[in-house]
Amino acid sequence: MTARIIDGKAIAARLRTGLAARVAMLGFRPGLRVVRVGEDPASVVYVRNKDRAAREVGFDSATIVLPEATSEAELLGVIAGLNADPAVDGILLQLPLPAQIHPERAILALDPAKDVDGLHPINAGLLAAGKPGLTPCTPKGVMHLLAEAGVPVSGARAIVLGRSVLVGRPMGALLLAADATVTMAHSRSRDLAAECRRADIVIAAVGRAGLVRGDWVAPGATVIDVGINRGADGKLTGDVAFAESAGHAGAITPVPGGVGPMTIACLLENTLEAALVRRGA
């Protein structure tokens, strides 16, 4: 068996095109502000890509760059200003933050209605309760990929490897809301290989290169690789041993070019949704 490749780049491009068409019909430009503290190399690249994508779909987008030495109080002041600015519909606080800033306090300071990363406890609670709210971008992107690839979720056995607040936990909630039977696995889980072999859908989000081997994948299963790991040669790899797993799976995402592009597209989708709700459009 040779797995069908789920092309996240193409799916994200279609989503962005649709968002641009919707924005063009509005009487305003949704406002997105990205806040970056310091010069973390990965964050610099991610933020630049997000800002470019936002401008391409017609948003009023800008990045606020604060020095590495910025205090927690100073950052909270910037967030308060953005919360109060009627032109700002979405705020993205780029993580990680410098050691002197507690990320939980910074996230809690965000207006939940503008929290387009979906990390505020109110948005997390709405998701857990199955109520409308802003959903973390990467799990939302995974659900788009499954839908676009025609993967049946209702009634399927799904396993999520990883229980992070950013990906694993909201991923499990979204799958459960779509009527999947969900197993949450993590570093303390016993016999991960056996758990994965029972699954119709495997979602790997642990940050360990090549963790999921080919013989962990049931014949015909769908494999979504959320992991991004940089090897000694500088190349990006996922949490899934791609070549091995592609020989068993029915469909699989590559790294890069799978989940990554969807994260940015869903950030834009969240910003548009936040703008429409805030402005009653």
Side-chain angles (χ1 to χ4, degrees):
M1 178 179 295
T2 301
R4 173 168 54 98
I5 305 301
I6 302 175
D7 187 345
K9 287 182 66 176
I11 295 170
R14 290 197 295 271
L15 178 55
R16 293 196 307 271
T17 297
L19 292 172
R22 293 172 64 189
V23 170
M25 298 176 66
L26 298 175
F28 63 91
R29 297 174 66 203
L32 174 65
R33 297 295 179 269
V34 181
V35 181
R36 193 187 88 222
V37 184
E39 298 296 327
D40 176 76
S43 292
V44 171
V45 174
Y46 293 155
V47 167
R48 183 169 62 239
N49 291 340
K50 290 168 183 174
D51 194 45
R52 182 174 63 245
R55 292 175 182 273
E56 287 175 354
V57 299
F59 287 3
D60 168 19
S61 178
T63 298
I64 299 169
V65 180
L66 302 175
E68 184 81 23
T70 297
S71 70
E72 185 175 285
E74 289 169 328
L75 174 60
L76 296 184
V78 170
I79 292 173
L82 295 174
N83 286 343
D85 188 341
V88 176
D89 299 295
I91 305 169
L92 174 68
L93 179 62
Q94 181 66 37
L95 302 175
L97 295 168
Q100 73 274 12
I101 301 173
H102 293 83
E104 295 85 1
R105 293 176 187 168
I107 291 168
L108 194 61
L110 294 167
D111 178 348
K114 297 185 178 186
D115 166 38
V116 289
D117 232 0
L119 296 181
H120 193 284
I122 287 179
N123 285 321
L126 290 170
L127 176 59
K131 303 294 184 182
L134 292 169
T135 303
C137 304
T138 297
K140 187 174 187 176
V142 170
M143 296 305 291
H144 271 297
L145 289 174
L146 293 172
E148 288 281 336
V151 177
V153 176
S154 180
R157 288 183 179 274
I159 186 168
V160 180
L161 305 179
R163 53 180 170 178
S164 70
V165 172
L166 187 62
V167 179
R169 293 171 190 256
M171 189 75 256
L174 286 173
L175 288 164
L176 190 62
D179 298 322
T181 300
V182 182
T183 297
M184 297 293 298
H186 44 79
S187 60
R188 298 297 180 91
S189 298
R190 297 177 182 175
D191 202 348
L192 281 175
E195 293 290 344
C196 286
R197 291 188 195 107
R198 298 172 61 235
D200 305 302
I201 300 170
V202 177
I203 298 175
V206 293
R208 190 185 303 175
L211 173 69
V212 178
R213 312 308 304 186
D215 62 0
W216 290 26
V217 178
T222 298
V223 179
I224 306 292
D225 192 349
V226 182
I228 300 178
N229 310 284
R230 191 172 295 278
D233 58 1
K235 294 183 179 179
L236 293 179
T237 59
D239 290 349
V240 176
F242 182 84
E244 293 178 20
S245 299
H248 294 258
I252 190 169
T253 59
V255 176
V259 175
M262 295 302 301
T263 298
I264 293 178
C266 287
L267 167 68
L268 305 180
E269 186 176 52
N270 276 355
T271 303
L272 178 56
E273 291 173 0
L276 295 175
V277 170
R278 285 189 63 252
R279 299 173 189 250

